[in-house]
Amino acid sequence: MTTTIAALPDHNRTTDPLWQRLFHGYGHVVTPLRYAGWVTDIETSGGEFHVRADLRDGTELIIASEHSLPADPAEVTGWTAVRQDVENADRHTVLYDSTPNGPQRHHGNSLIPLLARIDGLDVPRRAPRLIVSATHTAPYGANHNQTAGIEGAATAIARFSEWSQRLIDHEGYRRVWQRPQADGYPLALFESAGHITTVRVTRSDD
């Protein structure tokens, strides 16, 4: 099977409990970037935290908040994204800023606008574009389908997570199964009082 998600970082910090807690806590940021094809890490130097993705062209993507990322992801008030030279951080471009004083502040801590901006970057070896869709099946057999448009990989993976979380938080569903990351693009099955919803990510053929 063709690999659809980038490898985990290769360093000895992956066994550190703080790194593991942050990597899991910011999984909603890290995972879309990995599906976009970039090895993505959590930097913890100097007591400050940020997400770093290697864009494989001599530049890297740095994602933070107003300053560094808070230890608790629930405290993020907005996102900043900077693309910088790996060898010289002074050579950088601010891509996005939805913190309270930033130009994209109207988006707040929403991830999809941030990742849509990142998906628009000129980068080598771009990941395939993807489609998020859902099928809702009632106990009496009626089906209803919902499909988002064709999107960049990072945006689509974030939308999959958003749709899945909405089912759990607002529509009373529980997740009964989800495909492991190593086995391909996300696919999950949800149930509520006999209603079944399947949310999936598939590759666009365009």
Side-chain angles (χ1 to χ4, degrees), residues 13-29:
R13 288 184 293 114
T14 58
T15 59
D16 176 67
L18 173 61
W19 185 92
Q20 292 177 340
R21 179 164 61 87
L22 292 167
F23 193 81
H24 175 75
Y26 283 98
H28 58 307
V29 183

Side-chain angles (χ1 to χ4, degrees), residues 176-203:
V176 295
W177 179 81
Q178 183 159 336
R179 173 188 287 162
Q181 284 184 351
D183 291 347
Y185 293 115
L187 172 67
L189 184 68
F190 300 84
E191 186 273 338
S192 175
H195 293 260
I196 302 296
T197 295
T198 304
V199 184
R200 66 185 67 79
V201 177
T202 53
R203 183 169 172 163

Side-chain angles (χ1 to χ4, degrees), residues 3-205:
T3 301
T4 56
I5 188 167
L8 291 169
D10 182 15
H11 54 64
N12 58 14
R13 288 184 293 114
T14 58
T15 59
D16 176 67
L18 173 61
W19 185 92
Q20 292 177 340
R21 179 164 61 87
L22 292 167
F23 193 81
H24 175 75
Y26 283 98
H28 58 307
V29 183
V30 170
T31 301
L33 297 174
R34 292 181 64 208
Y35 274 102
W38 305 319
V39 174
T40 304
D41 201 357
I42 297 286
E43 296 292 341
T44 59
S45 59
E48 295 192 347
F49 316 129
H50 61 262
V51 173
R52 182 180 65 80
D54 180 1
L55 302 185
R56 302 186 295 180
D57 64 350
T59 68
E60 58 189 4
L61 183 68
I62 304 296
I63 296 176
S65 190
E66 292 182 71
H67 301 290
S68 71
L69 292 173
D72 181 356
E75 296 178 0
V76 170
T77 57
W79 304 101
T80 60
V82 174
R83 185 180 189 177
Q84 67 184 28
D85 189 284
V86 172
E87 301 297 332
N88 181 6
D90 289 336
R91 297 174 57 188
H92 66 270
T93 303
V94 177
L95 303 173
Y96 186 89
D97 184 352
S98 66
T99 61
N101 294 314
Q104 288 83 35
R105 57 187 175 274
H106 51 288
H107 291 309
N109 62 5
S110 176
L111 264 183
I112 289 179
L114 165 67
L115 293 170
R117 173 70 183 94
I118 291 169
D119 272 328
L121 292 175
D122 180 17
V123 294
R125 294 175 287 173
R126 183 180 299 279
R129 291 170 65 78
L130 305 174
I131 299 172
V132 185
S133 60
T135 301
H136 309 274
T137 304
Y140 44 86
N143 287 339
H144 168 68
N145 296 314
Q146 178 183 5
T147 303
I150 298 171
E151 299 177 303
T155 308
I157 299 302
R159 192 175 302 281
F160 169 87
S161 297
E162 183 181 87
W163 284 14
S164 298
Q165 204 60 46
R166 185 185 302 132
L167 286 169
I168 295 169
D169 292 346
H170 302 295
E171 299 186 33
Y173 281 78
R174 63 186 181 90
R175 183 186 286 109
V176 295
W177 179 81
Q178 183 159 336
R179 173 188 287 162
Q181 284 184 351
D183 291 347
Y185 293 115
L187 172 67
L189 184 68
F190 300 84
E191 186 273 338
S192 175
H195 293 260
I196 302 296
T197 295
T198 304
V199 184
R200 66 185 67 79
V201 177
T202 53
R203 183 169 172 163
S204 167
D205 293 325

